[in-house]
Amino acid sequence: DLLVAVLDRGADPAAEIARRGWAAVTDPDQLGEWIDAVLDRAGEQVAAYREGKRGLVGWFVAQVVAASGGRAEPQTVARLLEERLKQSG
């Protein structure tokens, strides 16, 4: 769809991505909402993480990305998740 818009209509790629809502979300406030929602319903995984299963970060990231409809930027999510899990643990 993006290529058609750019090549056929001469659309600006960045503007077209933004218009369609395809841009990766890196805003900490928005990501924080998704992170909180995931952590609230993943009590067992949070406890396991705090007991030393650090590999669960990837699972948490996947859950946040899914909650965002694929728009959350995974590296930023991972950083924010680790900060949040350390703060409340």
Side-chain angles (χ1 to χ4, degrees), residues 46-70:
V46 170
Y49 176 89
R50 291 187 176 138
E51 290 172 3
K53 290 192 175 187
R54 298 297 188 242
L56 281 170
V57 169
W59 182 85
F60 287 121
V61 170
Q63 298 302 305
V64 174
V65 170
S68 73

PDB file of all heavy atoms in Angstrom, residues 46-70:
ATOM      1  N   VAL A  46       5.494 -11.893  36.231  1.00  0.00           N
ATOM      2  CA  VAL A  46       6.191 -10.843  36.984  1.00  0.00           C
ATOM      3  C   VAL A  46       6.926 -11.473  38.167  1.00  0.00           C
ATOM      4  O   VAL A  46       8.100 -11.179  38.409  1.00  0.00           O
ATOM      5  CB  VAL A  46       5.210  -9.741  37.450  1.00  0.00           C
ATOM      6  CG1 VAL A  46       5.885  -8.798  38.433  1.00  0.00           C
ATOM      7  CG2 VAL A  46       4.652  -8.973  36.253  1.00  0.00           C
ATOM      8  N   ALA A  47       6.246 -12.364  38.877  1.00  0.00           N
ATOM      9  CA  ALA A  47       6.881 -13.031  40.018  1.00  0.00           C
ATOM     10  C   ALA A  47       8.079 -13.857  39.560  1.00  0.00           C
ATOM     11  O   ALA A  47       9.142 -13.835  40.205  1.00  0.00           O
ATOM     12  CB  ALA A  47       5.865 -13.912  40.731  1.00  0.00           C
ATOM     13  N   ALA A  48       7.936 -14.568  38.452  1.00  0.00           N
ATOM     14  CA  ALA A  48       9.041 -15.377  37.939  1.00  0.00           C
ATOM     15  C   ALA A  48      10.216 -14.501  37.530  1.00  0.00           C
ATOM     16  O   ALA A  48      11.375 -14.841  37.792  1.00  0.00           O
ATOM     17  CB  ALA A  48       8.571 -16.224  36.745  1.00  0.00           C
ATOM     18  N   TYR A  49       9.945 -13.362  36.917  1.00  0.00           N
ATOM     19  CA  TYR A  49      11.010 -12.431  36.534  1.00  0.00           C
ATOM     20  C   TYR A  49      11.759 -11.978  37.783  1.00  0.00           C
ATOM     21  O   TYR A  49      12.989 -11.954  37.809  1.00  0.00           O
ATOM     22  CB  TYR A  49      10.434 -11.225  35.785  1.00  0.00           C
ATOM     23  CG  TYR A  49      11.476 -10.192  35.455  1.00  0.00           C
ATOM     24  CD1 TYR A  49      12.196 -10.252  34.272  1.00  0.00           C
ATOM     25  CD2 TYR A  49      11.770  -9.150  36.342  1.00  0.00           C
ATOM     26  CE1 TYR A  49      13.170  -9.309  33.970  1.00  0.00           C
ATOM     27  CE2 TYR A  49      12.733  -8.207  36.049  1.00  0.00           C
ATOM     28  CZ  TYR A  49      13.430  -8.287  34.869  1.00  0.00           C
ATOM     29  OH  TYR A  49      14.396  -7.350  34.580  1.00  0.00           O
ATOM     30  N   ARG A  50      11.019 -11.616  38.799  1.00  0.00           N
ATOM     31  CA  ARG A  50      11.637 -11.116  40.024  1.00  0.00           C
ATOM     32  C   ARG A  50      12.392 -12.210  40.777  1.00  0.00           C
ATOM     33  O   ARG A  50      13.258 -11.913  41.595  1.00  0.00           O
ATOM     34  CB  ARG A  50      10.575 -10.471  40.899  1.00  0.00           C
ATOM     35  CG  ARG A  50      10.085  -9.188  40.275  1.00  0.00           C
ATOM     36  CD  ARG A  50       9.166  -8.422  41.163  1.00  0.00           C
ATOM     37  NE  ARG A  50       8.813  -7.166  40.527  1.00  0.00           N
ATOM     38  CZ  ARG A  50       7.605  -6.658  40.524  1.00  0.00           C
ATOM     39  NH1 ARG A  50       6.622  -7.263  41.152  1.00  0.00           N
ATOM     40  NH2 ARG A  50       7.364  -5.511  39.914  1.00  0.00           N
ATOM     41  N   GLU A  51      12.067 -13.461  40.478  1.00  0.00           N
ATOM     42  CA  GLU A  51      12.794 -14.581  41.074  1.00  0.00           C
ATOM     43  C   GLU A  51      14.026 -14.951  40.256  1.00  0.00           C
ATOM     44  O   GLU A  51      14.717 -15.912  40.578  1.00  0.00           O
ATOM     45  CB  GLU A  51      11.861 -15.785  41.211  1.00  0.00           C
ATOM     46  CG  GLU A  51      10.789 -15.590  42.259  1.00  0.00           C
ATOM     47  CD  GLU A  51       9.741 -16.694  42.268  1.00  0.00           C
ATOM     48  OE1 GLU A  51       9.870 -17.663  41.485  1.00  0.00           O
ATOM     49  OE2 GLU A  51       8.796 -16.572  43.049  1.00  0.00           O
ATOM     50  N   GLY A  52      14.287 -14.206  39.178  1.00  0.00           N
ATOM     51  CA  GLY A  52      15.514 -14.417  38.428  1.00  0.00           C
ATOM     52  C   GLY A  52      15.363 -14.835  36.983  1.00  0.00           C
ATOM     53  O   GLY A  52      16.352 -14.964  36.274  1.00  0.00           O
ATOM     54  N   LYS A  53      14.163 -15.071  36.514  1.00  0.00           N
ATOM     55  CA  LYS A  53      13.965 -15.485  35.119  1.00  0.00           C
ATOM     56  C   LYS A  53      13.962 -14.257  34.209  1.00  0.00           C
ATOM     57  O   LYS A  53      12.938 -13.817  33.718  1.00  0.00           O
ATOM     58  CB  LYS A  53      12.663 -16.267  34.972  1.00  0.00           C
ATOM     59  CG  LYS A  53      12.730 -17.618  35.633  1.00  0.00           C
ATOM     60  CD  LYS A  53      11.557 -18.469  35.220  1.00  0.00           C
ATOM     61  CE  LYS A  53      11.728 -19.848  35.817  1.00  0.00           C
ATOM     62  NZ  LYS A  53      10.702 -20.760  35.328  1.00  0.00           N
ATOM     63  N   ARG A  54      15.146 -13.700  34.001  1.00  0.00           N
ATOM     64  CA  ARG A  54      15.295 -12.470  33.218  1.00  0.00           C
ATOM     65  C   ARG A  54      14.940 -12.660  31.743  1.00  0.00           C
ATOM     66  O   ARG A  54      14.637 -11.716  31.042  1.00  0.00           O
ATOM     67  CB  ARG A  54      16.718 -11.927  33.331  1.00  0.00           C
ATOM     68  CG  ARG A  54      17.119 -11.556  34.741  1.00  0.00           C
ATOM     69  CD  ARG A  54      16.252 -10.433  35.275  1.00  0.00           C
ATOM     70  NE  ARG A  54      16.749  -9.949  36.548  1.00  0.00           N
ATOM     71  CZ  ARG A  54      16.046 -10.025  37.679  1.00  0.00           C
ATOM     72  NH1 ARG A  54      14.863 -10.558  37.700  1.00  0.00           N
ATOM     73  NH2 ARG A  54      16.549  -9.549  38.798  1.00  0.00           N
ATOM     74  N   GLY A  55      14.962 -13.902  31.264  1.00  0.00           N
ATOM     75  CA  GLY A  55      14.596 -14.172  29.878  1.00  0.00           C
ATOM     76  C   GLY A  55      13.146 -13.855  29.566  1.00  0.00           C
ATOM     77  O   GLY A  55      12.753 -13.778  28.396  1.00  0.00           O
ATOM     78  N   LEU A  56      12.341 -13.645  30.595  1.00  0.00           N
ATOM     79  CA  LEU A  56      10.937 -13.297  30.382  1.00  0.00           C
ATOM     80  C   LEU A  56      10.753 -11.907  29.784  1.00  0.00           C
ATOM     81  O   LEU A  56       9.659 -11.579  29.334  1.00  0.00           O
ATOM     82  CB  LEU A  56      10.159 -13.394  31.705  1.00  0.00           C
ATOM     83  CG  LEU A  56       9.778 -14.805  32.128  1.00  0.00           C
ATOM     84  CD1 LEU A  56       9.247 -14.817  33.550  1.00  0.00           C
ATOM     85  CD2 LEU A  56       8.748 -15.378  31.173  1.00  0.00           C
ATOM     86  N   VAL A  57      11.803 -11.112  29.769  1.00  0.00           N
ATOM     87  CA  VAL A  57      11.689  -9.778  29.171  1.00  0.00           C
ATOM     88  C   VAL A  57      11.178  -9.901  27.735  1.00  0.00           C
ATOM     89  O   VAL A  57      10.316  -9.133  27.313  1.00  0.00           O
ATOM     90  CB  VAL A  57      13.025  -9.002  29.229  1.00  0.00           C
ATOM     91  CG1 VAL A  57      12.974  -7.754  28.373  1.00  0.00           C
ATOM     92  CG2 VAL A  57      13.356  -8.641  30.657  1.00  0.00           C
ATOM     93  N   GLY A  58      11.697 -10.866  26.995  1.00  0.00           N
ATOM     94  CA  GLY A  58      11.242 -11.061  25.620  1.00  0.00           C
ATOM     95  C   GLY A  58       9.766 -11.380  25.548  1.00  0.00           C
ATOM     96  O   GLY A  58       9.057 -10.904  24.657  1.00  0.00           O
ATOM     97  N   TRP A  59       9.267 -12.168  26.479  1.00  0.00           N
ATOM     98  CA  TRP A  59       7.847 -12.497  26.525  1.00  0.00           C
ATOM     99  C   TRP A  59       7.032 -11.234  26.812  1.00  0.00           C
ATOM    100  O   TRP A  59       6.027 -10.984  26.159  1.00  0.00           O
ATOM    101  CB  TRP A  59       7.589 -13.562  27.596  1.00  0.00           C
ATOM    102  CG  TRP A  59       6.150 -13.976  27.648  1.00  0.00           C
ATOM    103  CD1 TRP A  59       5.541 -14.925  26.887  1.00  0.00           C
ATOM    104  CD2 TRP A  59       5.138 -13.433  28.505  1.00  0.00           C
ATOM    105  NE1 TRP A  59       4.211 -15.001  27.219  1.00  0.00           N
ATOM    106  CE2 TRP A  59       3.936 -14.096  28.210  1.00  0.00           C
ATOM    107  CE3 TRP A  59       5.137 -12.450  29.493  1.00  0.00           C
ATOM    108  CZ2 TRP A  59       2.742 -13.818  28.863  1.00  0.00           C
ATOM    109  CZ3 TRP A  59       3.944 -12.162  30.139  1.00  0.00           C
ATOM    110  CH2 TRP A  59       2.765 -12.840  29.829  1.00  0.00           C
ATOM    111  N   PHE A  60       7.490 -10.449  27.802  1.00  0.00           N
ATOM    112  CA  PHE A  60       6.793  -9.202  28.124  1.00  0.00           C
ATOM    113  C   PHE A  60       6.770  -8.264  26.921  1.00  0.00           C
ATOM    114  O   PHE A  60       5.739  -7.663  26.614  1.00  0.00           O
ATOM    115  CB  PHE A  60       7.457  -8.481  29.307  1.00  0.00           C
ATOM    116  CG  PHE A  60       7.225  -9.129  30.642  1.00  0.00           C
ATOM    117  CD1 PHE A  60       8.295  -9.557  31.408  1.00  0.00           C
ATOM    118  CD2 PHE A  60       5.957  -9.292  31.156  1.00  0.00           C
ATOM    119  CE1 PHE A  60       8.102 -10.140  32.649  1.00  0.00           C
ATOM    120  CE2 PHE A  60       5.740  -9.876  32.399  1.00  0.00           C
ATOM    121  CZ  PHE A  60       6.816 -10.302  33.150  1.00  0.00           C
ATOM    122  N   VAL A  61       7.900  -8.125  26.249  1.00  0.00           N
ATOM    123  CA  VAL A  61       7.973  -7.258  25.071  1.00  0.00           C
ATOM    124  C   VAL A  61       6.960  -7.714  24.027  1.00  0.00           C
ATOM    125  O   VAL A  61       6.219  -6.901  23.473  1.00  0.00           O
ATOM    126  CB  VAL A  61       9.398  -7.213  24.479  1.00  0.00           C
ATOM    127  CG1 VAL A  61       9.401  -6.508  23.127  1.00  0.00           C
ATOM    128  CG2 VAL A  61      10.353  -6.521  25.444  1.00  0.00           C
ATOM    129  N   ALA A  62       6.903  -9.005  23.778  1.00  0.00           N
ATOM    130  CA  ALA A  62       5.960  -9.529  22.789  1.00  0.00           C
ATOM    131  C   ALA A  62       4.517  -9.217  23.178  1.00  0.00           C
ATOM    132  O   ALA A  62       3.690  -8.868  22.316  1.00  0.00           O
ATOM    133  CB  ALA A  62       6.152 -11.034  22.625  1.00  0.00           C
ATOM    134  N   GLN A  63       4.213  -9.303  24.458  1.00  0.00           N
ATOM    135  CA  GLN A  63       2.857  -9.002  24.922  1.00  0.00           C
ATOM    136  C   GLN A  63       2.515  -7.526  24.727  1.00  0.00           C
ATOM    137  O   GLN A  63       1.400  -7.182  24.334  1.00  0.00           O
ATOM    138  CB  GLN A  63       2.707  -9.382  26.403  1.00  0.00           C
ATOM    139  CG  GLN A  63       2.906 -10.847  26.693  1.00  0.00           C
ATOM    140  CD  GLN A  63       1.959 -11.728  25.916  1.00  0.00           C
ATOM    141  OE1 GLN A  63       0.753 -11.555  25.981  1.00  0.00           O
ATOM    142  NE2 GLN A  63       2.511 -12.663  25.165  1.00  0.00           N
ATOM    143  N   VAL A  64       3.477  -6.656  25.004  1.00  0.00           N
ATOM    144  CA  VAL A  64       3.245  -5.212  24.828  1.00  0.00           C
ATOM    145  C   VAL A  64       3.086  -4.869  23.353  1.00  0.00           C
ATOM    146  O   VAL A  64       2.190  -4.113  22.977  1.00  0.00           O
ATOM    147  CB  VAL A  64       4.373  -4.384  25.481  1.00  0.00           C
ATOM    148  CG1 VAL A  64       4.219  -2.903  25.167  1.00  0.00           C
ATOM    149  CG2 VAL A  64       4.405  -4.610  26.993  1.00  0.00           C
ATOM    150  N   VAL A  65       3.942  -5.438  22.519  1.00  0.00           N
ATOM    151  CA  VAL A  65       3.834  -5.193  21.078  1.00  0.00           C
ATOM    152  C   VAL A  65       2.475  -5.671  20.576  1.00  0.00           C
ATOM    153  O   VAL A  65       1.806  -4.976  19.799  1.00  0.00           O
ATOM    154  CB  VAL A  65       5.002  -5.847  20.311  1.00  0.00           C
ATOM    155  CG1 VAL A  65       4.766  -5.796  18.814  1.00  0.00           C
ATOM    156  CG2 VAL A  65       6.324  -5.156  20.664  1.00  0.00           C
ATOM    157  N   ALA A  66       2.027  -6.821  21.043  1.00  0.00           N
ATOM    158  CA  ALA A  66       0.706  -7.321  20.637  1.00  0.00           C
ATOM    159  C   ALA A  66      -0.404  -6.385  21.126  1.00  0.00           C
ATOM    160  O   ALA A  66      -1.335  -6.077  20.373  1.00  0.00           O
ATOM    161  CB  ALA A  66       0.490  -8.733  21.171  1.00  0.00           C
ATOM    162  N   ALA A  67      -0.288  -5.907  22.368  1.00  0.00           N
ATOM    163  CA  ALA A  67      -1.296  -5.009  22.916  1.00  0.00           C
ATOM    164  C   ALA A  67      -1.372  -3.698  22.133  1.00  0.00           C
ATOM    165  O   ALA A  67      -2.423  -3.060  22.068  1.00  0.00           O
ATOM    166  CB  ALA A  67      -1.005  -4.727  24.387  1.00  0.00           C
ATOM    167  N   SER A  68      -0.260  -3.325  21.524  1.00  0.00           N
ATOM    168  CA  SER A  68      -0.204  -2.065  20.770  1.00  0.00           C
ATOM    169  C   SER A  68      -0.625  -2.248  19.317  1.00  0.00           C
ATOM    170  O   SER A  68      -0.551  -1.302  18.534  1.00  0.00           O
ATOM    171  CB  SER A  68       1.215  -1.503  20.799  1.00  0.00           C
ATOM    172  OG  SER A  68       2.072  -2.263  19.963  1.00  0.00           O
ATOM    173  N   GLY A  69      -1.008  -3.442  18.954  1.00  0.00           N
ATOM    174  CA  GLY A  69      -1.336  -3.703  17.561  1.00  0.00           C
ATOM    175  C   GLY A  69      -0.111  -3.705  16.668  1.00  0.00           C
ATOM    176  O   GLY A  69      -0.188  -3.405  15.483  1.00  0.00           O
ATOM    177  N   GLY A  70       1.028  -4.039  17.273  1.00  0.00           N
ATOM    178  CA  GLY A  70       2.273  -4.110  16.514  1.00  0.00           C
ATOM    179  C   GLY A  70       2.982  -2.780  16.353  1.00  0.00           C
ATOM    180  O   GLY A  70       3.981  -2.690  15.649  1.00  0.00           O
TER     181      GLY A  70
END
